[in-house]
Amino acid sequence: MNTDHSLPSNRILSIDILRGIVMIVMALDHTRDFFHIAAVTGNPLDPATTTGALFFTRWITHFCAPIFVFLSGLSAYLSAQNKTPAIAGKFLIKRGLWLIAVEIVIVSLGLTFNPFYHFIILQVIWAIGWSMILLGLISRLSYKTVLIIGLILVFGHNILNLLPVPQNPTWAMILKVVFTAFGTVLPISDHHLVGVFYAILPWTGIMFIGYAIGSWYKKGYDGARRKRNLILTGCLTTLLFLALRWINFYGDPAPRKEYLDLFRNMLSFFNVSKYPPSLQYTCMTLGPAMLFLAFSERLKNIGSRIFAIYGSVPFFYYILHFYLLHTFLVIAFFATGFTGKDIVQIPFYFRPVNFGFNLIVVYLIWFSVAALLYLPCKWFKRYKQTHRQWWLRYI
């Protein structure tokens, strides 16, 4: 139903600002995947071979997925405040199933441009979908149960790095998909593969903790107390990362290495594991995120307003940016002399191994994509404010 006035909004500006920043930064990593000359052949996080600029380009995007998942949990708590636990849980389950379907059908196509779905890619939306389903089930029990399970998953899943892998192939595969997946490729037919790149439960733990912290934002909660909580938790979380990384025993499957020069030792210190999100990685990213939330509640300037536009329609932006990036990739593919016989590549069509540009071009393309999506995001935010169609709750 169309209306001639905006519907009431319960959005929290600081959350939208932070979410908007991570959505924009996230696009940098995908731009690098598509357009950087060494994206297919090199590891930008390897201290022995990378450069400072390339390392930073990849490392800064580490903050995106955990903050996005964390804020998804926080938003789930806020959206449940005016619903019964049963209704809120049912919605989370339905939305989780919807997100899994979107990952398989829409996101995989945007990533690969392969209409035959020879390679289905399961990443962050897949993990968020399953996490929402689990949150929809567990949140019916109690808020405290969600918090306890979240803490156990985040702090405890790296224990598996110290244990032997199960000998049974079925159990070993289940363990990979649920806890330890990174580049786990499963054949589903002679010509179709599924790549599981995001293990489910470590991300679920992050979402559960976000849900628990959502209680600091409920109506009537003292703002000064919330700020103190966020500052204290953010500082302790960041200090825990520094301590664990220094001790170099627990919390990451890839302990830091020692190099002969200070610069590479510094890179090694911050080169923590995202797949799956280790305890050290989670602390490194969520600690600063909570500090940002603490100090951005009263942030009002042109930059905050711009970021909040992106952050208020993250799913819309997420889907569009893949299709826009891949469209630019097709244009660059033909413009640089490649032909139809070079199109079919695994996993990305139009992305030959010997294709690509330097980092300056990557940054220019990234900025262009983010800028081009501003007006569509602004329009869709307004559309959501002035319309009540049921499907808008899922986007």
Side-chain angles (χ1 to χ4, degrees):
M1 178 188 297
N2 291 345
T3 63
D4 57 0
H5 58 279
S6 294
L7 300 171
S9 176
N10 295 317
R11 305 198 69 89
I12 297 171
L13 184 61
S14 59
I15 294 175
D16 279 345
I17 294 170
L18 179 57
R19 187 187 282 118
I21 291 172
V22 301
M23 296 306 293
I24 292 172
V25 173
M26 170 206 64
L28 174 60
D29 194 42
H30 301 148
T31 307
R32 183 190 58 81
D33 283 337
F34 281 141
F35 293 99
H36 189 242
I37 184 64
V40 177
T41 58
N43 178 5
L45 293 175
D46 184 355
T49 59
T50 192
T51 64
L54 183 56
F55 182 93
F56 176 81
T57 300
R58 175 65 178 113
W59 177 82
I60 193 63
T61 65
H62 269 357
F63 287 79
C64 300
I67 294 175
F68 188 67
V69 174
F70 171 81
L71 293 179
S72 295
L74 198 160
S75 298
Y77 180 91
L78 295 177
S79 68
Q81 291 310 289
N82 297 321
K83 304 171 185 173
T84 66
I87 292 175
K90 184 178 179 181
F91 173 75
L92 284 170
I93 292 169
K94 289 194 296 184
R95 190 156 197 261
L97 291 170
W98 157 252
L99 288 176
I100 292 170
V102 165
E103 181 81 298
I104 295 170
V105 178
I106 300 176
V107 178
S108 280
L109 181 60
L111 274 167
T112 66
F113 265 29
N114 180 346
F116 306 104
Y117 291 91
H118 290 130
F119 196 89
I120 295 172
I121 300 175
L122 303 179
Q123 296 191 111
V124 67
I125 300 298
W126 149 270
I128 290 175
W130 278 111
S131 297
M132 281 191 172
I133 292 171
L134 294 171
L135 181 58
L137 295 172
I138 303 300
S139 62
R140 296 189 186 197
L141 301 178
S142 72
Y143 161 88
K144 191 173 292 186
T145 303
V146 173
L147 174 59
I148 292 171
I149 293 175
L151 291 172
I152 290 173
L153 288 173
V154 169
F155 282 85
H157 77 90
N158 283 124
I159 291 175
L160 295 173
N161 303 135
L162 308 175
L163 301 177
V165 177
Q167 296 300 308
N168 183 289
T170 301
W171 281 110
M173 185 59 64
I174 292 173
L175 183 68
K176 283 184 178 181
V177 172
V178 174
F179 272 111
T180 64
F182 172 56
T184 302
V185 177
L186 308 174
I188 55 176
S189 74
D190 291 341
H191 303 289
H192 294 84
L193 304 170
V194 174
V196 184
F197 296 101
Y198 275 59
I200 295 168
L201 290 184
W203 295 101
T204 301
I206 293 174
M207 179 176 284
F208 279 22
I209 289 176
Y211 181 90
I213 286 179
S215 66
W216 298 346
Y217 285 86
K218 64 185 178 183
K219 188 176 181 180
Y221 198 92
D222 180 63
R225 183 183 176 193
R226 174 172 57 249
K227 185 174 182 178
R228 289 195 301 270
N229 289 349
L230 287 168
I231 292 173
L232 178 61
T233 309
C235 286
L236 289 175
T237 302
T238 304
L239 288 173
L240 179 59
F241 157 68
L242 295 173
L244 288 172
R245 199 62 178 162
W246 181 261
I247 295 169
N248 205 27
F249 172 71
Y250 180 76
D252 200 278
R256 61 181 171 85
K257 298 179 180 179
E258 296 287 345
Y259 293 87
L260 297 178
D261 62 275
L262 177 62
F263 176 69
R264 300 201 183 280
N265 279 327
M266 182 182 69
L267 298 187
S268 180
F269 189 91
F270 290 99
N271 183 24
V272 288
S273 300
K274 177 182 179 180
Y275 305 101
S278 69
L279 173 59
Q280 293 180 22
Y281 168 90
T282 302
C283 291
M284 181 187 75
T285 53
L286 293 190
M290 285 185 273
L291 291 173
F292 182 90
L293 288 173
F295 292 106
S296 62
E297 285 202 18
R298 300 181 183 276
L299 190 62
K300 291 185 179 180
N301 54 44
I302 186 171
S304 65
R305 290 193 293 271
I306 290 172
F307 290 132
I309 292 292
Y310 293 98
S312 61
V313 289
F315 185 79
F316 179 79
Y317 169 91
Y318 185 81
I319 298 298
L320 282 188
H321 97 281
F322 276 127
Y323 283 85
L324 185 56
L325 274 173
H326 217 135
T327 299
F328 280 7
L329 178 65
V330 173
I331 295 170
F333 173 88
F334 288 111
T336 52
F338 289 96
T339 62
K341 63 182 177 60
D342 304 307
I343 290 175
V344 178
Q345 304 287 329
I346 299 297
F348 307 132
Y349 276 25
F350 303 96
R351 189 22 175 125
V353 173
N354 58 335
F355 166 87
F357 308 94
N358 62 32
L359 275 181
I360 295 175
V361 176
V362 170
Y363 272 84
L364 288 173
I365 295 171
W366 166 60
F367 180 82
S368 299
V369 167
L372 285 170
L373 289 176
Y374 176 74
L375 288 180
C377 287
K378 188 176 182 180
W379 167 81
F380 190 63
K381 178 186 178 183
R382 178 65 179 172
Y383 187 88
K384 290 187 72 174
Q385 289 174 333
T386 55
H387 293 73
R388 286 191 183 275
Q389 289 94 331
W390 65 268
W391 52 268
L392 288 173
R393 295 182 299 160
Y394 294 85
I395 297 180

